[in-house]
Amino acid sequence: MIRATPQTRKRDPSIALINIVFLMLVFFLIAGTIAAPLDPDLKLVETAELEGREPPDALVLRADGTLSFRGDETNVEAYMQIHADGPVRIVPDRNANGLRMMEISRALRTSGASSVILVTERSLE
């Protein structure tokens, strides 16, 4: 009589990997709370419909490279005579030349501005 040898099934090594990944997922779900959720009664401000305006104390760099301050055309020297020190805010036009913006920033710094801050629009898409 011939004895039939029982076939042993080999264990799949990917089962152990799946278990480890599952345990890591559970760990990060429990331990990974970054911030507390907002109060459900809180209503956030909607800014999508607001009209954009430059800050009242900012220089505006137009697309043609000219500067204006509070609606009047100006230059770096005239602006720095009025605002001798402190940070300077520049609102550049989207189509303004980057080299012109760097040139104006450098001129403001050499004229005594403590820092030059670019004011931009941040849009959520």
Side-chain angles (χ1 to χ4, degrees):
M1 176 170 214
I2 298 177
R3 274 186 137 180
T5 57
Q7 291 184 345
T8 59
R9 294 179 64 180
K10 291 189 176 185
R11 295 184 70 165
D12 191 8
S14 63
I15 298 293
L17 181 63
I18 292 171
N19 288 338
I20 291 172
V21 170
F22 178 73
L23 288 174
M24 289 175 58
L25 176 68
V26 169
F27 172 77
F28 285 115
L29 284 174
I30 293 171
T33 302
I34 295 174
L38 290 175
D39 183 10
D41 296 331
L42 180 67
K43 302 292 184 217
L44 297 176
V45 176
E46 292 185 22
T47 60
E49 301 298 323
L50 293 179
E51 181 181 334
R53 293 188 184 168
E54 70 269 4
D57 62 340
L59 277 171
V60 177
L61 175 61
R62 296 187 187 131
D64 61 357
T66 59
L67 288 173
S68 66
F69 178 68
R70 295 185 179 165
D72 298 324
E73 193 166 324
T74 188
N75 57 29
V76 172
E77 294 80 21
Y79 179 82
M80 287 308 292
Q81 285 177 355
I82 300 170
H83 302 88
D85 57 353
V88 176
R89 289 176 178 79
I90 299 177
V91 179
D93 186 274
R94 182 178 307 242
N95 297 321
N97 187 338
L99 293 175
R100 176 72 176 140
M101 187 170 53
M102 294 297 293
E103 178 183 301
I104 291 170
S105 299
R106 190 175 306 116
L108 287 167
R109 289 298 303 245
T110 57
S111 296
S114 62
S115 63
V116 177
I117 301 167
L118 291 178
V119 180
T120 62
E121 174 187 10
R122 180 170 61 170
S123 61
L124 299 174
E125 296 180 10

